[in-house]
Amino acid sequence: MIIMTPILLILLGATEMLQADLLPAEKISLLPPVNFTIKVTGLAQVLLHWEPNPDQEQRNVNLEYQVKINAPKEDDYETRITESSCVTILHQGFSASVRTILQNDHSFLASSWVSAEVHAPPGSPGTSVVNLTCTTNTTADNYSHLRPYQVSLHCTWLVGTDAPEDTQYFLYYRYGSWTEECKEYSKDILERNIACWFPRTFIHSRGRDWLVVLINGSSKHTAIKPFDQLFALHTIGNDEQKPLRKWLLFVFMATICLILLILSLICRICHLWTKLFPPIPAPKSNIKDFFVTPNYEKAGSTETETEVIIYIENPGVETLEDSVF
Ligand SMILES: *[C@@H]1O[C@H](CO)[C@@H](O)[C@H](O)[C@H]1NC(C)=O
Ligand SMILES: *[C@@H]1O[C@H](CO)[C@@H](O)[C@H](O)[C@H]1NC(C)=O
Ligand SMILES: *[C@@H]1O[C@H](CO)[C@@H](O)[C@H](O)[C@H]1NC(C)=O
Ligand SMILES: *[C@@H]1O[C@H](CO)[C@@H](O)[C@H](O)[C@H]1NC(C)=O
Ligand SMILES: *[C@@H]1O[C@H](CO)[C@@H](O)[C@H](O)[C@H]1NC(C)=O
């Protein structure tokens, strides 16, 4: 594995250099998109929108866009359309870049980046809530035929250490297109809200949407910094494939290394054997036959392994790209 990784990297580098050489002679110059904006469309949700550059020559090519999320969490993806919706926490601000790209099997061209951002909401440090935890509880609902179950939501939090005594907090949740404000709070001795209970919500216990919880607040003395958090109600069935592919790659590499090791060992033993027992007419040919046969089989098996490497090369490249961006 330790030996194979640099080799793979060198191979990758070589492939990229080859690809660079294969760029079409008549280079098309790519211009960045224009009017790139980021709009907050809901709790912890933004819409990125841009327009194709009006001066971009088209020349019958399929232009795409590469979107790079810079903050709060790096992400990178490609799209053919000119907008993209993201679910993300916003209390630390949000920033993203987009560029025009043109790619096919042999080449990759890209324009310069254009960027936009949503500023972190104002508020004094230490005033936002901490240690927010939320739990949902699904119970059978005998009174509704449309929805045979009900999901309740219970959240608790701690008051920010530097929040003034008169601070009041307000909790909102969003699930899909539904946003609701909390109506049943529990309070601490200073009458500040520190927990919330929704007996019924719009949450689907088997849905795949994120549950978003936002807590903002107010005080006469200072601006209270809002806090938002995403909760995954269910881990989705697609992410499981990637670790599996990485694992398979690892197993294949390990197998190949092991086979190489065994082959080299066999070679050494062969050499040692010929040195220890120099050629004697009759028994020698028997010994030779004995050793030639397994060697032959091993050679056959390396050939099959080579085919396997070619087959797994693409997933391998993808995995590496993922970790690069
Ligand atoms: C970009 O925005 C400006 C001002 O809002 C507008 O005049 C212009 O038409 C827009 N460009 C495109 C390509 O939509
Ligand atoms: C709040 O969370 C921090 C770490 O996130 C932890 O160290 C601390 O003990 C928690 N406080 C309480 C009261 O649970
Ligand atoms: C969920 O709600 C049911 C019915 O109200 C209750 O009996 C159960 O203890 C709750 N479970 C949790 C984990 O809160
Ligand atoms: C709903 O029906 C179940 C079984 O029929 C029963 O055990 C439960 O108490 C009922 N719940 C309510 C809230 O009526
Ligand atoms: C808290 O957030 C909600 C939802 O975005 C908003 O309607 C409300 O005005 C905010 N309250 C404060 C005190 O900032």
Side-chain angles (χ1 to χ4, degrees):
M1 193 65 190
I2 296 162
I3 311 164
M4 290 307 280
T5 314
I7 293 174
L8 194 76
L9 284 176
I10 290 165
L11 276 176
L12 269 177
T15 337
E16 254 164 42
M17 268 151 62
L18 269 177
Q19 285 183 354
D21 285 346
L22 286 170
L23 288 178
E26 37 154 14
K27 279 186 187 169
I28 180 170
S29 72
L30 292 186
L31 299 173
V34 296
N35 293 5
F36 177 35
T37 55
I38 303 174
K39 208 163 74 185
V40 177
T41 50
L43 298 191
Q45 188 172 42
V46 289
L47 180 70
L48 284 59
H49 182 90
W50 59 90
E51 297 289 341
N53 195 305
D55 300 327
Q56 178 67 56
E57 51 171 332
Q58 292 292 330
R59 225 194 278 175
N60 282 337
V61 288
N62 286 322
L63 293 181
E64 287 177 79
Y65 302 96
Q66 184 180 4
V67 180
K68 196 166 70 170
I69 312 294
N70 308 310
K73 192 169 162 281
E74 287 189 10
D75 195 8
D76 195 298
Y77 53 92
E78 282 146 27
T79 176
R80 288 182 189 278
I81 57 174
T82 60
E83 63 180 22
S84 166
S85 176
C86 290
V87 175
T88 171
I89 55 162
L90 293 173
H91 68 268
Q92 298 164 351
F94 177 87
S95 100
S97 308
V98 62
R99 65 178 179 179
T100 313
I101 58 169
L102 175 60
Q103 60 180 342
N104 56 40
D105 292 343
H106 310 297
S107 63
F108 181 88
L109 290 171
S111 73
S112 55
W113 293 99
V114 285
S115 302
E117 67 178 311
V118 173
H119 292 289
S124 311
T127 55
S128 65
V129 300
V130 289
N131 298 37
L132 170 65
T133 53
C134 291
T135 51
T136 56
N137 188 359
T138 307
T139 45
D141 182 3
N142 302 354
Y143 307 108
S144 165
H145 293 289
L146 289 172
R147 280 200 137 179
Y149 60 86
Q150 278 298 328
V151 179
S152 64
L153 174 67
H154 186 245
C155 294
T156 61
W157 59 90
L158 298 175
V159 172
T161 44
D162 298 321
E165 290 194 349
D166 74 328
T167 301
Q168 194 50 285
Y169 291 115
F170 307 100
L171 181 142
Y172 302 79
Y173 85 86
R174 179 176 71 79
Y175 187 80
S177 56
W178 298 98
T179 302
E180 276 193 298
E181 181 182 358
C182 180
K183 292 183 188 76
E184 294 182 38
Y185 289 105
S186 310
K187 294 167 187 291
D188 68 1
I189 43 167
L190 291 171
E191 288 287 302
R192 296 179 295 194
N193 296 336
I194 50 158
C196 165
W197 161 247
F198 289 92
R200 288 162 166 248
T201 62
F202 291 99
I203 298 167
H204 274 268
S205 64
R206 290 194 184 148
R208 290 184 169 192
D209 281 310
W210 288 97
L211 167 66
V212 176
V213 173
L214 167 88
I215 301 181
N216 56 17
S218 66
S219 158
K220 285 197 184 92
H221 305 288
T222 185
I224 304 299
K225 220 171 156 47
F227 179 80
D228 55 359
Q229 191 168 328
L230 305 181
F231 295 89
L233 296 173
H234 277 272
T235 43
I236 293 157
N238 292 338
D239 288 347
E240 278 167 20
Q241 282 178 358
K242 275 195 176 171
L244 188 71
R245 274 202 262 152
K246 280 184 193 171
W247 208 79
L248 274 180
L249 185 71
F250 175 80
V251 169
F252 274 125
M253 303 260 256
T255 315
I256 290 160
C257 287
L258 196 72
I259 287 170
L260 286 176
L261 192 77
I262 292 171
L263 275 179
S264 75
L265 271 178
I266 288 177
C267 280
R268 277 181 185 211
I269 292 169
C270 280
H271 279 291
L272 200 66
W273 193 272
T274 26
K275 274 184 189 168
L276 284 178
F277 303 93
I280 315 165
K284 183 212 138 192
S285 67
N286 278 343
I287 291 160
K288 201 178 169 188
D289 284 352
F290 177 76
F291 274 103
V292 161
T293 321
N295 255 342
Y296 206 73
E297 278 173 4
K298 288 293 172 196
S301 73
T302 25
E303 261 170 46
T304 14
E305 290 297 342
T306 317
E307 279 174 27
V308 174
I309 304 174
I310 293 163
Y311 170 71
I312 59 169
E313 213 165 40
N314 274 335
V317 170
E318 258 180 54
T319 316
L320 276 161
E321 277 176 353
D322 281 349
S323 52
V324 167
F325 292 119

